[in-house]
Amino acid sequence: MSYMKWLNIIVIIVIFNITVSSQERPPHGENMPSDGNISGTIKDPDLNQLIPYANVILYRLKDSSIVTGAIADEKGNFTLSKLPYGKFYLEIHFIGYEKKFIPEILLTPRQKDILLGIIELRQTATQLNEVEVVGERKFIEYKIDKKIINVSQDIVASGGMAADVLENTPSVQIDIDGNISLRGSTNFTVLIDGKPSITDGNELLQQTPAGMIENIEIITNPSAKYDPDGIAGIINIIMKKQKEKGTNGIINANVGTSIT
């Protein structure tokens, strides 16, 4: 057999082997088998409950392109089927929870079923700034047995005397001469921190600075302990508690001269 005939036979054998090899090995791309599967179950570890209807997205690792996605069922289970071989990563998210990433999932003909088991999602922790709630007391508070006048709420009268605060109070009247009446009567008792004073009630209200008063209680139906017979009610002045040590009080003095 001549040299040329041998050369032709060798070329034919090589071409035949290449053809057979290409037919046995599917090319990379669309003709790759798509029989991979990824499955798992999503759970809240803090509540010890499964999370239904969470979103599951599979990305290709090399370019982060989306391959497929699914929504977990009511028991938190999900399955991604008919997946091509390759390297991927998984993203799982749900409203109110932090995102979860499963990196570098490898699907091959020998490892085409990936069971991820329990996947835990943590609830999103929201840090709130401290909120200070400030509530103002009403100028007049109505209780069952008394009315309470919060002096600090009367800005106009705070620079005056106790009588100035009472001018805006129902059931208290002050005439043009400064005489105070309670429920139309001048027969009432004035107390300081629940204790009687030797000073006349009308004078006491005219001389006590409003800035020293916490509140004023008007008791129109006093109990028997106040000996209420024949009086229209009680005006109880509650003084502010002073932090400094010392003695607080009101001094009344009358100075006069006599000609003999």
Side-chain angles (χ1 to χ4, degrees):
M1 187 177 295
S2 66
Y3 172 78
M4 292 301 296
K5 289 182 178 181
W6 278 109
L7 183 59
N8 291 333
I9 292 173
I10 293 173
V11 172
I12 292 172
I13 292 173
V14 171
I15 294 174
F16 177 78
N17 288 334
I18 292 175
T19 303
V20 171
S21 177
S22 63
Q23 290 176 351
E24 291 179 349
R25 185 178 61 240
H28 178 75
E30 297 181 355
N31 294 328
M32 285 287 291
S34 297
D35 56 357
N37 299 287
I38 299 174
S39 60
T41 302
I42 306 169
K43 183 178 181 180
D44 183 328
D46 299 319
L47 299 178
N48 194 28
Q49 295 178 353
L50 300 176
I51 303 176
Y53 312 120
N55 295 299
V56 182
I57 304 174
L58 185 69
Y59 295 88
R60 198 177 299 277
L61 186 61
K62 67 177 182 179
D63 57 6
S64 296
S65 60
I66 296 177
V67 178
T68 187
I71 297 177
D73 63 16
E74 66 275 5
K75 295 183 179 180
N77 299 315
F78 70 90
T79 300
L80 303 177
S81 303
K82 298 181 180 180
L83 303 175
Y85 300 148
K87 293 182 178 180
F88 309 91
Y89 68 90
L90 199 66
E91 175 188 302
I92 303 170
H93 61 90
F94 190 65
I95 297 174
Y97 288 82
E98 297 177 355
K99 287 184 179 181
K100 180 82 172 185
F101 291 93
I102 309 296
E104 295 192 17
I105 299 173
L106 178 62
L107 287 173
T108 67
R110 294 184 179 181
Q111 184 176 279
K112 56 185 178 180
D113 293 308
I114 304 295
L115 303 178
L116 298 176
I118 299 295
I119 301 171
E120 296 181 345
L121 292 190
R122 298 283 181 179
Q123 295 186 33
T124 303
T126 303
Q127 183 67 37
L128 298 178
N129 294 328
E130 182 178 348
V131 177
E132 182 179 358
V133 179
V134 179
E136 289 190 357
R137 293 183 298 176
K138 296 179 179 179
F139 174 60
I140 302 178
E141 295 183 45
Y142 293 90
K143 304 295 183 180
I144 295 177
D145 58 341
K146 59 188 173 184
K147 290 193 290 283
I148 300 175
I149 314 302
N150 293 306
V151 179
S152 61
Q153 302 302 312
D154 190 345
I155 300 175
V156 176
S158 60
M161 300 297 174
D164 299 320
V165 177
L166 294 175
E167 276 188 324
N168 301 320
T169 305
S171 72
V172 177
Q173 296 82 36
I174 302 178
D175 62 21
I176 58 176
D177 296 323
N179 298 312
I180 301 173
S181 60
L182 177 62
R183 299 167 64 189
S185 172
T186 57
N187 185 23
F188 59 88
T189 300
V190 176
L191 305 177
I192 299 291
D193 290 329
K195 299 177 182 179
S197 174
I198 60 174
T199 306
D200 175 73
N202 195 76
E203 293 182 7
L204 192 60
L205 293 173
Q206 296 286 358
Q207 298 172 6
T208 304
M212 298 176 59
I213 302 173
E214 181 69 26
N215 53 58
I216 300 175
E217 298 177 344
I218 299 177
I219 305 171
T220 54
N221 295 300
S223 61
K225 71 176 182 178
Y226 293 110
D227 190 20
D229 293 340
I231 64 174
I234 294 173
I235 297 177
N236 183 25
I237 301 175
I238 308 297
M239 307 298 291
K240 291 181 178 178
K241 302 300 183 288
Q242 301 294 327
K243 294 183 179 179
E244 296 82 3
K245 293 182 179 180
T247 302
N248 295 319
I250 298 174
I251 299 176
N252 296 313
N254 293 318
V255 178
T257 59
S258 61
I259 300 174
T260 58

